[in-house]
Amino acid sequence: KMATRNKMAKLISTLHKKLPSVLHQPAQTLAFNVQVKYAGTSGIWIEKLQEDEVIMTLKNRFRIQNHIKGVHACGMALLAESSTGAVIGMNLPDEALPLLKSMTIDYVRVAKGDLRGVAHITEEQKLSMMTEPKGSVVVPVVVTDSDGHEPIK
């Protein structure tokens, strides 16, 4: 039996049902960025927001660049954290408090151009979030740049 959808998942489902598809990405991005203000400030964009997968992008704009005109290390971390946080947010019961416990990032190469973050969770992880009163889940995320390389791991 599928677990009951939380408020965030219901909101996104309603947006997708009531709005034309051309407005899905702007609407879900706005809904997320109203709650996660730093994501909005930095320009996080949500391409896909589903209960098993989230895809977000971050354009290499002047406001978030480092001294070599790439996306700043904090921007890369924000994209990774936002992607994983959103996929958790789509599944966590409304009464639960989502908190990041740790994040490990290795900066392995200079990022070229815009970035894309893809986070997934498994059915087992979704079930544990719905049934365990307090838990911990590791959510993998892959961040790629315009060249298809992974600047962070």
Side-chain angles (χ1 to χ4, degrees), residues 5 86 134 138-139:
R5 285 183 154 178
K134 189 173 184 180
V138 175
V139 180

Side-chain angles (χ1 to χ4, degrees), residues 47-108:
E47 288 186 1
K48 182 178 182 183
L49 184 55
Q50 294 181 341
E51 292 169 13
D52 62 337
E53 181 180 56
V54 170
I55 301 173
M56 294 186 173
T57 59
L58 184 60
K59 290 196 179 298
N60 182 4
R61 302 177 308 133
F62 177 79
R63 291 180 72 176
I64 59 165
Q65 286 179 344
N66 57 21
H67 60 288
I68 56 173
K69 302 205 182 325
V71 173
H72 194 280
C74 291
M76 289 188 246
L78 174 69
L79 179 62
E81 191 275 338
S82 295
S83 301
T84 59
V87 80
I88 293 284
M90 289 291 286
N91 291 281
L92 207 58
D94 290 330
E95 62 278 2
L97 177 64
L99 288 175
L100 175 68
K101 292 183 179 180
S102 72
M103 183 165 68
T104 303
I105 297 177
D106 292 318
Y107 295 90
V108 296

